[in-house]
Amino acid sequence: MIKAINIIGTTRRAATRGLSFTRVNDLLLGAGFPTPLLVLSRSGVRRNIEQLRRALPAAAIHYAIKANNHPVILEEIAKAGGCFDISSYQELRSAVEAGARAGEMIHSHPIKSPREIADAVGEGVTLFVIDNPSEIEKFIPYAGRVRLMIRFKVDGGSAVVNLSYKFGCSEDEIVPLGIRMRELGIDYHGLAFHVGSQCTKSEVYVKAIKTAARQIRILENLGFTTRLLDIGGGFPVEYTQAVPPIRKFCEPIRNALRRHIDPGIAIACEPGRYISATTTTLVASIIGKSTRSGKNWYFLDDGLYGSFSGRLYDHCQYQTLTNRNTTWKRSVLAGPTCDSFDVIYKDILLPPLDIGDVLLFPAMGAYCSVSASSFNCLRKAEYVVIE
Ligand SMILES: Cc1ncc(COP(=O)(O)O)c(C=O)c1O
């Protein structure tokens, strides 16, 4: 069971990066912005890039657009000299519109339709990720114009979202994939992995870096030059569970890169969640209430079909902040649609709430609005950008 947090006069205000209830009321609701509202902080994007850069100075940041493709996020990243990780043509176009260059992007989706590849190459993308022989064949028409990275799987057990079930070859398939590229006259560029999203153990990165180092040596003996190691995303943020500060979290990763990877090999990372999650707070209102079997039920104007889609696809539990400070009661927090499935929290400690009361949900900038739908023709939460 989770507990809502009262933020009046507590340090918990830090969770929303200074976005207090007073500020929400004065700045947004008082000015007529309707809830549900996603409040995105520009400076939050810059701060997160800076912090990750300091934590991992050896790695070029390629923001994973899939986490949140809001133009302001992409713009701030491009302005800060960051690059992009794309998984579709539409992501490519949105990064180009934000000022990024296609030639600096990594197309990291291991499975792409031939059409997707043609469009990306047509725009100037040259770096792609593959994890199987059939995918390499799709690049035959572009030999000499593209470079391929081999993605291998890692133990995804320490991440909330395992990304090595669907993607990544096994370690012993890496060399045969390199050899197949050579036979087809397609450039081998390097290795890639993804430890899984919201990975809370940096040892998983360390193990994967050691695997990469071992394979890089084997490949080198066979005449392959590795130019890039892409350590993926996965960097964790604080939701309802504490995580170490990013610099401390990355310390073993920094050491492993220094110890095991030749300094001539470039390093890239593909953070999505770390850059975007804490930039955005959801402001939502209670639109209905009821008492059922002794429990308080509250209905919110956003739910699982909307911004809380991350509860399903991203397996995420978000902090709930209230400015009511009375007795706490086991409650149910449900979404606004007519589907019974649309229940955000079946068991949450909430104070008594009234219709019109506002709740804040910090760190809802990653894997929330991108997977929201407008089921029941309900309006999706709109963004408002603050400095
Ligand atoms: C290939 C790839 N790179 C990067 C990411 C971003 O991961 P995260 O948001 O955990 O940093 C993902 C997430 O699905 C991914 O599939």
Side-chain angles (χ1 to χ4, degrees):
M1 184 179 46
I2 69 160
K3 182 180 187 296
I5 296 162
N6 176 275
I7 62 165
I8 295 176
T10 76
T11 53
R12 281 294 182 169
R13 190 164 292 181
T16 58
R17 313 280 178 187
L19 190 69
S20 64
F21 277 93
T22 314
R23 192 151 176 236
V24 165
N25 278 321
D26 294 354
L27 207 81
L28 305 171
L29 307 180
F33 287 99
T35 64
L37 204 57
L38 287 160
V39 186
L40 163 62
S41 156
R42 265 186 193 274
S43 57
V45 183
R46 295 196 292 273
R47 181 201 54 232
N48 291 347
I49 297 176
E50 246 342 279
Q51 284 179 349
L52 189 57
R53 274 201 177 129
R54 264 187 262 125
L56 269 184
I61 293 181
H62 288 253
Y63 171 64
I65 299 178
K66 57 186 75 84
N68 190 331
N69 62 343
H70 193 286
V72 164
I73 298 182
L74 306 191
E75 221 176 275
E76 288 297 333
I77 289 164
K79 274 201 284 187
C83 300
F84 294 91
D85 149 32
I86 56 165
S87 59
S88 72
Y89 181 71
Q90 287 71 20
E91 286 187 358
L92 188 171
R93 286 300 319 159
S94 51
V96 167
E97 275 155 30
R101 285 209 294 272
E104 292 172 353
M105 295 176 196
I106 301 175
H107 196 309
S108 70
H109 199 322
I111 307 291
K112 300 155 287 296
S113 70
R115 178 66 198 263
E116 172 72 34
I117 295 171
D119 287 346
V121 173
E123 290 275 346
V125 178
T126 61
L127 190 53
F128 294 84
V129 172
I130 59 96
D131 68 0
N132 69 82
S134 155
E135 197 71 10
I136 300 176
E137 315 262 328
K138 294 180 190 165
F139 287 91
I140 295 172
Y142 312 105
R145 294 163 64 192
V146 296
R147 305 158 293 156
L148 300 187
M149 310 266 297
I150 301 171
R151 172 156 161 191
F152 61 92
K153 64 168 92 254
V154 297
D155 171 13
S158 298
V160 172
V161 184
N162 181 348
L163 289 171
S164 284
Y165 167 65
K166 191 170 166 188
F167 299 118
C169 66
S170 59
E171 193 180 339
D172 58 7
E173 288 169 321
I174 294 176
V175 165
L177 287 171
I179 290 172
R180 187 67 186 131
M181 287 181 207
R182 182 186 275 163
E183 286 166 357
L184 295 172
I186 298 168
D187 279 356
Y188 158 77
H189 195 69
L191 299 181
F193 63 81
H194 196 303
V195 294
S197 202
Q198 183 70 0
C199 174
T200 49
K201 294 207 171 107
S202 33
E203 303 92 86
V204 190
Y205 288 86
V206 173
K207 195 168 165 216
I209 289 165
K210 287 183 184 165
T211 304
R214 198 164 48 239
Q215 289 299 319
I216 287 169
R217 274 195 302 278
I218 297 171
L219 285 160
E220 200 176 333
N221 289 337
L222 295 168
F224 290 95
T225 304
T226 299
R227 300 186 193 284
L228 179 64
L229 172 62
D230 181 346
I231 65 169
F235 306 98
V237 303
E238 186 165 319
Y239 292 104
T240 50
Q241 304 287 322
V243 297
I246 193 70
R247 200 171 154 72
K248 188 161 191 304
F249 179 82
C250 288
E251 192 180 334
I253 307 173
R254 287 196 299 277
N255 292 339
L257 289 171
R258 202 171 40 239
R259 244 177 245 144
H260 302 291
I261 305 298
D262 184 301
I265 297 173
I267 309 291
C269 63
E270 300 173 356
R273 182 188 308 280
Y274 187 79
I275 302 294
S276 60
T278 57
T279 62
T280 301
T281 295
L282 172 72
V283 180
S285 308
I286 301 295
I287 55 165
K289 62 182 210 173
S290 176
T291 307
R292 291 172 189 166
S293 311
K295 251 186 177 177
N296 285 342
W297 275 68
Y298 296 107
F299 298 84
L300 204 64
D301 55 5
D302 205 345
L304 294 188
Y305 286 93
S307 309
F308 288 96
S309 55
R311 288 279 294 128
L312 304 175
Y313 303 123
D314 197 34
H315 316 290
C316 204
Q317 194 142 282
Y318 308 99
Q319 275 186 33
T320 305
L321 307 184
T322 167
N323 60 351
R324 296 246 176 207
N325 195 11
T326 46
T327 45
W328 302 87
K329 201 162 180 251
R330 291 183 97 121
S331 309
V332 177
L333 188 62
T337 67
C338 65
D339 187 351
S340 286
F341 176 71
D342 189 7
V343 173
I344 304 162
Y345 295 118
K346 287 188 173 142
D347 205 8
I348 176 170
L349 282 177
L350 285 172
L353 298 171
D354 279 326
I355 298 196
D357 277 4
V358 165
L359 297 176
L360 302 187
F361 300 88
M364 284 193 64
Y367 306 113
C368 290
S369 57
V370 282
S371 47
S373 77
S374 48
F375 180 53
N376 279 190
C377 290
L378 287 171
R379 192 177 65 80
K380 288 191 220 174
E382 272 169 31
Y383 272 92
V384 58
V385 178
I386 59 171
E387 180 42 38

